[in-house]
Amino acid sequence: MSTPIPAPETDAAKRVLPPRPKAAALVALSFTLLLYLVELVDVILPGDLDQGGIHSRELSGLDGVLFAPVLHAGWSHLFANTVPVLLFSFLAMAAGIGRFALVTAIIWVVSGLGVWLIGPANAVTVGASGLAFGWLAYLLVRGIFNRAAGQILVAVVLLGVWSGMLAGLLPGNPGVSWQGHLFGALAGVLAAWLTSRRSGKAAPAAAGNLDV
């Protein structure tokens, strides 16, 4: 007799909320507190940590891809990113913290490289908004790739509440890195597609035969 074994990873991919909400909230809060700690250090120390951000098309500024998301151009810049970072990162942990780490890594690198390639010359780009746009885009499209009605419903709600953010994908607002927003969003879509394919490949492997 052959008995299919449920594919737990496929079910996990369709979750709406993190399976361990307290742990997810702690991760989201810890990352946000790190941003505040870095900004506080930047204010206290005589140097300018923001110079560690992305210097477009300069080899010496390429390492800014790693540091830019935790740097901000003042408290107002950080305040503007706080709620999106907290909320979107929490919701993005629905498939587990491991999957969230993978999604975040894709967004972090792709958005940073995009800014480095086409960002404004003679300027330094910093801020976690690329991550926020990436997580939002991931949350908006993951339900389509996963064929999950609950995730699509969450996407509709997020789109209704945060639709104003989409204007940040277009040029025209001086001092705002639309490049980081755009590549962050594209990276979020890419991350949703890649992780959905990974879940799809895992499903057959989770099925087996029980011979009696």
Side-chain angles (χ1 to χ4, degrees):
M1 183 177 73
S2 296
T3 303
I5 301 174
E9 185 163 349
T10 302
D11 295 337
K14 296 184 178 183
R15 290 194 192 106
V16 172
L17 295 175
R20 299 171 58 195
K22 290 183 180 179
L26 181 60
V27 171
L29 183 59
S30 297
F31 179 71
T32 305
L33 290 176
L34 173 64
L35 302 183
Y36 275 80
L37 178 60
V38 171
E39 185 60 27
L40 180 61
V41 170
D42 191 25
V43 170
I44 294 175
L45 294 182
D48 185 4
L49 294 183
D50 291 348
Q51 291 304 310
I54 301 171
H55 298 252
S56 301
R57 294 173 299 284
E58 295 182 18
L59 287 178
S60 60
L62 188 56
D63 58 352
V65 171
L66 298 177
F67 304 116
V70 298
L71 301 170
H72 287 82
W75 292 110
S76 60
H77 185 202
L78 178 53
F79 293 157
N81 284 334
T82 297
V83 174
V85 165
L86 277 171
L87 179 61
F88 299 159
S89 63
F90 174 80
L91 292 175
M93 284 182 253
I97 294 177
R99 178 64 57 85
F100 168 74
L102 175 60
V103 168
T104 300
I106 294 172
I107 296 169
W108 195 301
V109 173
V110 173
S111 62
L113 289 177
V115 170
W116 187 82
L117 286 171
I118 69 169
N122 303 317
V124 183
T125 301
V126 296
S129 55
L131 285 179
F133 272 84
W135 287 326
L136 177 59
Y138 169 77
L139 293 169
L140 291 178
V141 303
R142 64 175 178 171
I144 298 173
F145 292 124
N146 294 328
R147 299 178 182 178
Q151 292 179 350
I152 293 175
L153 179 59
V154 169
V156 171
V157 173
L158 289 174
L159 188 60
V161 175
W162 300 95
S163 58
M165 283 184 62
L166 300 182
L169 298 174
L170 302 174
N173 193 344
V176 175
S177 176
W178 63 269
Q179 298 93 339
H181 299 169
L182 176 61
F183 276 90
L186 292 175
V189 174
L190 174 64
W193 178 69
L194 290 175
T195 54
S196 68
R197 283 174 57 86
R198 181 179 177 183
S199 296
K201 289 180 180 179
N209 292 330
L210 180 62
D211 295 327
V212 178

